[in-house]
Amino acid sequence: MSTSLRLQTADLDPEMVSRITAAYKRALHTLCIEDRDDHDPLAEVVARKVIEIAQSDIHDPAEIAALAVKKIEMR
């Protein structure tokens, strides 16, 4: 798991962390990215997008991942 994801979810409730983690892994899989290490810039971008979306009113990990992938691909 990326350092960014781990640090930014430290104070969240376990259910939210579980949703974010599932969405993060799904987004990485969709983008064919392996979370190789804690300093992978692309994994960090994915983590930030997933967290940003998860903090809205969207709770489904699949939907969070799909929106994160869409936003990343638009860059």
Side-chain angles (χ1 to χ4, degrees), residues 33-74:
I33 301 168
E34 291 184 38
D35 194 8
R36 294 179 292 269
D37 61 36
D38 287 343
H39 304 291
D40 183 342
L42 193 47
E44 292 295 319
V45 169
V46 173
R48 284 194 302 272
K49 288 295 175 193
V50 165
I51 291 168
E52 174 187 313
I53 294 165
Q55 290 175 334
S56 69
D57 60 351
I58 300 169
H59 299 291
D60 177 39
E63 189 175 353
I64 293 168
L67 286 170
V69 168
K70 185 176 179 180
K71 286 186 176 207
I72 290 166
E73 288 178 340
M74 294 176 83

Side-chain angles (χ1 to χ4, degrees), residues 1-12 17 38-39 44 47 51 55:
M1 179 187 302
S2 81
T3 301
S4 177
L5 188 65
R6 196 175 17 241
L7 292 174
Q8 292 185 44
T9 59
D11 295 333
L12 300 176
V17 172
D38 287 343
H39 304 291
E44 292 295 319
I51 291 168
Q55 290 175 334

Side-chain angles (χ1 to χ4, degrees), residues 13-23 61:
D13 67 82
E15 184 179 328
M16 177 70 130
V17 172
S18 178
R19 281 196 306 264
I20 290 172
T21 302

